[in-house]
Amino acid sequence: MARRERVMRMSVEQPLWRALAGYRVLTMLYAVGFFATAYDGFDRPWVAVAYYCVLFVWTLATLPRIANAASCTKRFLAADLTVALTGIMLTPVADAHEHIQSGGPTLPSIWTAGSVLAFAIKGGWRWAAGASTAVAVANLVERGTPARDTVHNVILVWVASIAIGYVVEVARASERTLARALEIEAATRERERLARDIHDGVLQVLAMVQRRGAVIGGEAAELGRMAGEQEVALRTLVSGGLVPVSRASEDAAEGAVVRAVEEPDDSTGPVDLRALLAPYASAKVNLAEPGAPVILPPAAARELAAAVGAALDNVREHAGEHARAWILVEDEPDEVIVTVRDDGPGIPEGRLTQAEGEGRLGVALSIRGRLRDLGGSADLISVPGQGTEVELKMPKEPKKAKPSRGKAQKR
């Protein structure tokens, strides 16, 4: 069944754009309402009425422009700031001089801060500093003298806009980092899944060709040597490093985009684990299981059975063809425990670490990796000369499966 790609868009700045849209509408209504209450104090009220008509239409018509960073272009920001500055400079024309000197607000009033905040959200603290400086100059020119209240308001807008711009820049950097981390996690899980499939099939075949070629000799020996080289190269590939940074995680204009591959859920119902483990029983493998069905979700049952197969492959490979193995299945209330024990020579101390360093990730991926993806665990106990015991635990309600296919791999 084909897999599907799930696209997740993350944006920590999108709520800021929505808040800015609401702020612009509310402050526009505030400015109009304040003018209506002080209408009689204006020398030329028709100038103010004309400006407020423009401000009303402009605020409502440009709401789509501040829906996100992509639609909020530099040209729009310049035009929006021009509307605010024009209103400030028209204040002495419309309002009485005494009202202005007593600390009366400009025509756009606190609506001007919304224009500056748009610069901050779009371009960060540097853009905010430029826009707030232009507003500060316009306010000082409008007032004529640097009165205390004017300086106070100018500094407040300047500091607030720069602070918000800086916060937006930090949020964007964090967003890119998170997107990169999720991307690496998704790529790592996919690589581990592919590595398990390769370990369960291709590498086993290459290793067998290498061994048989060395035994047969002649041209077969050369073929075996080539198979061995390809095995080493493939092991290096499947245990390789991180994926390069994608353009998706670098671009956070509308939020970081992370693509994750999801496996289809082809389950048909609970599975009796005993049915999957029964084929492993033989003259050299003793299977002890409960008399009642051991029910697990399909993916969990398949992965647990595959991990048992990987452990038995390790017994045949490292303990020898004549080694005996025992499989014990325990059905606990919250989990299923399967223990695989053999009477082989055991694993020398440090061998597992050395094998992982050589790219032989059978235990790490085919056993531990399978169970970890479903919330399970694997513990390996080995004493030289006394055999090896692998204890596999699988919760009965595992997390969402990321199943692999095929037979398990040796360590």
Side-chain angles (χ1 to χ4, degrees):
M1 185 181 297
R3 290 175 292 161
R4 68 180 186 273
E5 185 179 65
R6 176 166 52 91
V7 179
M8 300 176 291
R9 183 173 297 278
M10 303 175 299
S11 177
V12 296
E13 69 180 71
Q14 195 59 38
L16 295 177
W17 289 110
R18 290 194 290 266
L20 178 60
Y23 176 87
R24 287 166 63 91
V25 173
L26 292 176
T27 53
M28 179 269 295
L29 296 176
Y30 170 81
V32 173
F34 187 86
F35 164 73
T37 60
Y39 179 85
D40 295 336
F42 281 78
D43 289 344
R44 299 177 181 86
W46 59 269
V47 175
V49 171
Y51 175 77
Y52 284 128
C53 288
V54 173
L55 185 65
F56 181 85
V57 174
W58 174 260
T59 301
L60 297 183
T62 57
L63 286 179
R65 286 288 190 173
I66 54 173
N68 50 61
S71 59
C72 186
T73 62
K74 294 180 180 179
R75 182 176 299 180
F76 162 74
L77 289 174
D80 195 58
L81 185 61
T82 300
V83 172
L85 298 178
T86 301
I88 295 174
M89 301 308 296
L90 283 177
T91 302
V93 178
D95 204 355
H97 180 72
E98 296 78 9
H99 189 210
I100 295 175
Q101 293 302 315
S102 64
T106 59
L107 292 182
S109 186
I110 56 176
W111 184 90
T112 305
S115 180
V116 176
L117 291 177
F119 275 85
I121 300 174
K122 172 68 175 182
W125 71 269
R126 294 175 180 83
W127 287 30
S132 58
T133 299
V135 171
V137 172
N139 274 281
L140 293 175
V141 172
E142 177 263 343
R143 185 57 59 90
T145 57
R148 177 177 297 180
D149 58 342
T150 302
V151 174
H152 176 270
N153 292 334
V154 165
I155 293 178
L156 181 62
V157 172
W158 194 71
V159 172
S161 60
I162 291 179
I164 292 177
Y166 178 75
V167 170
V168 169
E169 289 186 358
V170 172
R172 283 175 177 160
S174 301
E175 193 174 67
R176 287 192 293 268
T177 301
L178 176 59
R180 175 60 178 155
L182 293 176
E183 194 173 66
I184 291 173
E185 181 185 10
T188 300
R189 287 187 177 276
E190 179 67 5
R191 185 169 60 248
E192 288 185 356
R193 185 189 67 81
L194 293 175
R196 287 199 293 264
D197 291 346
I198 293 173
H199 273 279
D200 291 349
V202 179
L203 290 179
Q204 285 190 0
V205 173
L206 291 175
M208 183 185 67
V209 171
Q210 181 184 19
R211 290 195 299 268
R212 295 297 297 275
V215 173
I216 297 174
E219 294 184 357
E222 177 64 17
L223 180 62
R225 183 188 65 80
M226 295 174 62
E229 293 177 353
Q230 295 303 311
E231 180 191 10
V232 173
L234 192 54
R235 288 186 189 277
T236 302
L237 178 63
V238 299
S239 59
L242 301 178
V243 295
V245 178
S246 71
R247 295 182 62 185
S249 62
E250 290 177 336
D251 183 10
E254 296 185 21
V257 177
V258 178
R259 289 179 171 82
V261 177
E262 289 185 329
E263 291 287 345
D265 185 7
D266 56 353
S267 59
T268 56
V271 174
D272 186 357
L273 179 64
R274 301 180 306 169
L276 299 181
L277 296 181
Y280 293 125
S282 64
K284 299 177 182 178
V285 178
N286 187 351
L287 175 61
E289 59 189 18
V294 181
I295 302 301
L296 282 174
R302 287 196 300 267
E303 294 295 350
L304 185 55
V308 171
L312 293 175
D313 282 345
N314 288 332
V315 174
R316 286 190 291 270
E317 176 68 20
H318 300 283
E321 293 292 335
H322 301 290
R324 294 182 58 82
W326 291 264
I327 304 174
L328 173 63
V329 182
E330 300 174 83
D331 189 4
E332 301 293 338
D334 299 326
E335 64 182 358
V336 174
I337 303 175
V338 179
T339 304
V340 181
R341 182 172 61 85
D342 64 65
D343 60 357
I347 303 175
E349 185 177 356
R351 173 55 186 157
L352 290 179
T353 303
Q354 178 185 356
E356 291 188 20
E358 296 172 352
R360 301 177 179 274
L361 305 178
V363 171
L365 293 180
S366 290
I367 298 180
R368 291 197 180 105
R370 293 180 185 277
L371 304 185
R372 183 190 64 234
D373 288 346
L374 292 168
S377 63
D379 295 321
L380 189 146
I381 302 173
S382 181
V383 178
Q386 300 182 21
T388 300
E389 180 176 304
V390 180
E391 185 179 69
L392 311 173
K393 295 182 179 180
M394 177 65 70
K396 291 187 175 181
E397 295 184 1
K399 63 181 181 180
K400 189 173 181 180
K402 296 182 181 295
S404 59
R405 306 173 183 83
K407 188 182 175 184
Q409 152 70 11
K410 52 192 177 182
R411 62 177 174 250

